Amino acid sequence: MSTLQPAKLLAIDVVRLAAYGLTARPLRVVLSALGIAIGIAAMIAVVGISTSSRAQLNQLLSELGTNLLSAGPGKSMFGEAATMPPESIAMLGRIAEVEMVSAIGVLADARIYRSNRIPVSQSGGLAVYAARLNLLETLSAEVAVGSWLNEATANYPAVVLGARAAARLGIGRGLIGQQVWLGGRWFTVVGILAPVSLVPMLDLSALIGWPAGERHLDFEGDITTLYLRTAPDAVEAVRSILAPSANPKEPNEVDVSRPSDALAAEAAADVAFTGLLLGLGAVALLVGGIGVANTMVISVLERRAEIGLRRSQGATRGHIRMQFFGEALLLALLGGGSGVLIGALVTIGYAHVMGWPVDIPLWVPAGGMAATLLIGGIAGLYPAIRAARLAPTEALSVG
Amino acid sequence: MTATIVSLRNVSRGFAGGVLALRDVSLEIGRGELVAIVGPSGSGKSTMLNIIGTLDRASAGTVEIDGLAVENLKDSQLSALRARHIGFVFQHFHLSPGVSALDNVADGLLYTGTGLRERRERAEAALCEVGLAHRLDHRPHQLSGGEKQRTAIARALARRPLLLLADEPTGALDSTSGEGVVQLLLGLHRAGTAVVVITHDRDLAARFDRQAAMRDGQLVEDTRRSIR
Ligand SMILES: Nc1ncnc2c1ncn2[C@@H]1O[C@H](COP(=O)(O)OP(=O)(O)O)[C@@H](O)[C@H]1O
Ligand SMILES: [Mg+2]
């Protein structure tokens, strides 16, 4: 006599059963998969957008370099802005690890206007600086239109405008060569800068040549801010000796910073925000999971006759459990899969609009699918157990 | 291999609420036998058929199917027993809507451990046997009542069961399609399957080799009372 051993369901048959169960009720399947899809898509997009934005900042940082140091005016003991002596440029240049030194000096009394007919009070908050010729190179900044100052124009009343300064003055691309009213005389606009990522303050500034300042606007040559590039591995070493070297008499009044730190901090800053949105995505996912559980419970109730029939044909409780559990998993996977797809598309679209590189680390879709399986498994467990517990005769008596 | 395929000895079945649907029923059915079970509604016919088919367990008494004592078998072993040896036919067919006749029948072989291709081959053969070779791809709503029940019979016989249990198989059919179904059941019996049919129809029952009549949960008449 043969032992009574129930046959195992082939894996392909479990999948087929699940697919059959779902295709029989397409609308309900779409609606309950949608819940999961929204949750997963939200989480993928949030993480994808934030990693892409970080990738963009990191790319920017590596282009701009993290070896730029600035030494600016701290407040002196009496609260007035301190300056540094002109000799500090030469002094810092003698340090072996310093590759490049540049500087700007503020012309505190100079204002810039579109023309000499604008009332003095409407200066637009723009600052005027005298700049060393190597400033652009030191800051990895670029000219958007026109040209940067050169040996010749540095002596003349010529001005280069920061990107936002040009916009405020209403100087467009075509207006190179235009005259502006600066410090009580006419200056010619020779160029407009592209935004300076490392020193955004310069976007709202007008830059003139060092000698031009001295010749035309009574600039005394005191340095407001020093910018220097160090050897890549000597940033900290130079940083520690920068203040005493820049202003030996009053080292405490020198404010040393690393401009790239601000960008790096920006990259870190959206982590908190990302966490919040991620939490919202998780809530959506949870609600989606409850939707799947609900759908499956209803499905079990409606399909009692089918369950009874299968039991009469030799299905064990385990077979029935596996069928409904598989169906819940497949339902969740459908939602999760489309969620990953939607989330990735949203990320790609957003990054495209922002001009960022797309960066979706592999763990993001993998994590999304894992979360989906977990949710689907939990959601399917109770309905599956309930389906398997149904007595065959009770199930059959429905139809 | 025993000559007896079903043996009920002093079987009772009570339900919650104090209903005693079967009282002390003893019945033996031999291999290949053809039995009609008759009796008024509520007399316990379906309850007995479910116990014979191992879909339900007796509250008292012993049940043996193919020589195996059901009370000693686990639920999963009973499932295996049904998959291998027992076919069911119901009054309301229980076909899956939206699935072709072929796949309805093939699905009936799902728990026998055969692959899809073999299930379909056997399903096609079974459908040809019941005269539905031209209806393989029809869905249940495209079939007449008689064709639906013949599909259900094909689904049961595709497993080549030793025992076929039919609970009012013609109850939902007109007399012509009912007759077609009866002919199929008789044919199965001739081919060696034990066939047990519940019916309200006294004329139909009279055509069976053996009739067992039930009333109030008891077997009140059996044209082949087992000896003992
Ligand atoms: N699951 C159940 N729970 C309670 N009572 C039941 C159940 N199944 C059947 N009964 C009762 O048992 C009796 C016999 O039912 P049944 O075997 O279906 O009769 P028949 O098939 O002869 O019409 C009836 O009184 C019925 O109400
Ligand atoms: Mg009945």
Side-chain angles (χ1 to χ4, degrees), chain A residues 1-10 13 16-17 20 305-306 308-317 319-320 323 391-393 395-399, chain B residues 50 55-56 66 68 73 75-77 79-84 86 88 90 92-94 96-97 99 104 107-108 110-116 119 155 159:
Chain A
M1 187 181 61
S2 61
T3 55
L4 286 171
Q5 188 72 40
K8 288 212 164 56
L9 270 189
L10 305 172
D13 284 328
R16 204 177 276 136
L17 271 177
Y20 158 71
E306 178 196 329
L309 176 73
R310 292 188 184 280
R311 296 282 274 133
S312 81
Q313 290 167 340
T316 61
R317 290 197 176 120
H319 290 148
I320 299 292
Q323 176 182 348
T393 49
L396 278 167
S397 67
V398 188
Chain B
N50 286 338
L55 289 176
D56 196 11
D66 196 27
L68 296 166
L73 298 179
D75 195 76
S76 64
Q77 291 177 306
S79 290
L81 181 71
R82 291 194 294 273
R84 230 173 278 175
I86 305 175
F88 289 88
F90 307 97
H92 296 292
F93 328 123
H94 285 313
S96 308
V99 176
N104 259 290
D107 206 31
L110 194 58
Y111 307 99
T112 57
T114 42
L116 180 64
R119 296 202 297 268
R155 182 177 62 193
R159 274 184 279 143

Side-chain angles (χ1 to χ4, degrees), chain B residues 39-121:
Chain B
S41 190
S43 57
K45 306 182 297 293
S46 296
T47 301
M48 183 166 81
L49 204 73
N50 286 338
I51 286 177
I52 292 173
T54 76
L55 289 176
D56 196 11
R57 287 179 188 265
S59 322
T62 58
V63 179
E64 281 180 19
I65 306 297
D66 196 27
L68 296 166
V70 163
E71 62 182 331
N72 296 335
L73 298 179
K74 292 187 296 186
D75 195 76
S76 64
Q77 291 177 306
L78 292 183
S79 290
L81 181 71
R82 291 194 294 273
R84 230 173 278 175
H85 296 314
I86 305 175
F88 289 88
V89 175
F90 307 97
Q91 182 177 357
H92 296 292
F93 328 123
H94 285 313
L95 297 176
S96 308
V99 176
S100 69
L102 183 75
D103 283 331
N104 259 290
V105 176
D107 206 31
L109 294 164
L110 194 58
Y111 307 99
T112 57
T114 42
L116 180 64
R117 184 200 288 225
E118 191 190 332
R119 296 202 297 268
R120 286 222 167 113
E121 280 167 10

Side-chain angles (χ1 to χ4, degrees), chain A residues 317-345:
Chain A
R317 290 197 176 120
H319 290 148
I320 299 292
R321 199 157 43 226
M322 203 185 299
Q323 176 182 348
F324 283 89
F325 191 67
E327 208 171 301
L329 279 189
L330 188 64
L331 179 54
L333 278 179
L334 277 174
S338 25
V340 166
L341 212 67
I342 296 169
L345 287 176

Side-chain angles (χ1 to χ4, degrees), chain A residues 29-41 281 284-289 291-292 335:
Chain A
V29 165
V30 168
L31 290 179
S32 50
L34 201 60
I36 299 248
I38 290 172
I40 292 286
L285 189 59
L286 196 69
V287 172
V292 168

